[in-house]
């Protein structure tokens, strides 16, 4: 990988996770339940308010990074890079929540507009994260490790991980509040459609990104 390609791929990765964090922020503001990847940090931020959503995202995902180490008994540069990009992702989420804080959805339709916008934006950012092909956020890192250890493909394994995040978020909700918070119909919809939207984006313009990255290799 030459210097130009490295800079472009790093830029794509940073841009991708920043866009993804905007999608997370929109889903939170929508109030119909956040995405599975952010269920646990969001509930923790409501129950233990001395850390923000973004800071709990960094803390919880660092535990997922530790889980990867426990599973593979090895720590390498890819895991370190996951930590670095996680920090950007966490604080970018807080930044977008601050920027978007004046938005207060006052009806159910507006809530759905924000929720679905968050799904489409998150899937858009995911394209750049994947195409950068440098590292992934810790949740996907755990899925990749588990897939390798169980000889299963990433795609079929991911829904089980997402479900586990929702279950943990639900348990924390009842422990803190005795009722469900942060997990609603929007969470279910996000879990179902984000992958399909990502595939659509990939068919629409993913090949153009691949062709461009192939050109800059020379």
């Amino acid at each position: 990988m030459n210097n130009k390609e490295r800079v472009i791929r790093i830029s794509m990765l940073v841009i991708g996770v920043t866009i993804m964090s905007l999608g997370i922020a929109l889903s939170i503001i929508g109030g119909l339940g956040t995405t599975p990847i952010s269920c646990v940090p969001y509930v923790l931020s409501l129950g233990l308010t001395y850390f923000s959503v973004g800071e709990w995202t960094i803390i919880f995902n660092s535990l997922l990074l530790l889980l990867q180490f426990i599973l593979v008994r090895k720590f390498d540069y890819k895991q370190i890079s996951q930590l670095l990009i996680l920090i950007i992702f966490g604080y970018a989420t807080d930044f977008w929540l601050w920027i978007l804080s004046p938005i207060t959805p006052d009806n159910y339709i507006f809530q759905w507009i924000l929720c679905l916008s968050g799904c489409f934006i998150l899937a858009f950012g995911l394209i750049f994260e994947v195409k950068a092909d440098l590292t992934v956020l810790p949740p996907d890192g755990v899925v990749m490790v588990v897939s390798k250890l169980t000889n299963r493909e990433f795609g079929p394994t991911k829904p089980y991980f997402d479900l586990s995040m929702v279950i943990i978020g639900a348990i924390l909700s009842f422990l803190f509040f005795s009722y469900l918070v942060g997990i609603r119909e929007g969470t279910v919809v996000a879990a179902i459609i984000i992958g399909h939207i990502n595939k659509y984006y990939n068919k629409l313009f993913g090949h153009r990104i691949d062709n461009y990255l192939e050109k800059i290799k020379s």
Side-chain angles (χ1 to χ4, degrees):
M1 185 184 301
N2 58 48
N3 289 334
K4 180 180 179 181
E5 182 184 0
R6 183 176 293 107
V7 169
I8 290 174
R9 286 185 181 273
I10 292 174
S11 299
M12 285 175 57
L13 179 61
V14 172
I15 290 170
V17 297
T18 303
I19 294 173
M20 289 170 66
S21 67
L22 172 57
I24 297 293
L26 284 169
S27 71
I28 290 173
I29 290 174
L32 293 180
T34 186
T35 60
I37 192 178
S38 53
C39 280
V40 175
Y42 180 58
V43 174
L44 286 170
S45 73
L46 296 176
L48 302 171
T49 57
Y50 35 82
F51 290 122
S52 66
V53 178
E55 289 168 338
W56 273 118
T57 297
I58 294 170
I59 294 168
F60 179 69
N61 281 265
S62 295
L63 295 178
L64 295 180
L65 194 57
L66 178 61
L67 176 60
Q68 292 180 53
F69 172 72
I70 293 172
L71 290 173
V72 301
R73 304 295 178 89
K74 183 175 65 175
F75 199 79
D76 57 27
Y77 77 94
K78 289 185 178 180
Q79 291 166 319
I80 296 173
S81 62
Q82 283 183 43
L83 179 60
L84 294 174
I85 207 66
L86 167 61
I87 292 172
I88 295 174
F89 181 67
Y91 285 114
T93 301
D94 282 344
F95 170 77
W96 288 120
L97 284 171
W98 174 67
I99 290 291
L100 299 172
S101 59
I103 300 176
T104 52
D106 53 3
N107 62 72
Y108 195 57
I109 293 176
F110 190 21
Q111 286 182 292
W112 269 115
I113 291 173
L114 291 174
C115 177
L116 293 175
S117 296
C119 292
F120 277 89
I121 290 173
L122 194 155
F124 184 72
L126 185 60
I127 281 287
F128 290 95
E129 181 206 25
V130 172
K131 294 297 184 183
D133 196 25
L134 293 176
T135 189
V136 294
L137 289 167
D140 287 337
V142 170
V143 177
M144 292 173 72
V145 168
V146 171
S147 298
K148 185 175 181 180
L149 292 175
T150 58
N151 293 317
R152 291 173 59 90
E153 293 184 2
F154 179 91
T157 306
K158 184 72 160 59
Y160 292 102
F161 177 83
D162 289 345
L163 178 61
S164 69
M165 293 297 99
V166 174
I167 292 173
I168 293 172
I171 293 171
L172 290 172
S173 293
F174 285 108
L175 286 176
F176 288 133
F177 309 105
S178 300
Y179 59 90
L180 205 58
V181 296
I183 301 169
R184 286 183 53 181
E185 58 269 37
T187 304
V188 177
V189 169
I192 294 172
I193 71 171
I194 287 176
H196 294 290
I197 297 171
N198 182 258
K199 289 180 181 178
Y200 171 74
Y201 284 151
N202 194 42
K203 289 180 180 179
L204 188 64
F205 59 83
H207 62 284
R208 296 182 182 180
I209 298 176
D210 291 334
N211 291 339
Y212 175 72
L213 292 173
E214 193 64 33
K215 288 180 181 179
I216 63 176
K217 286 183 179 180
S218 56

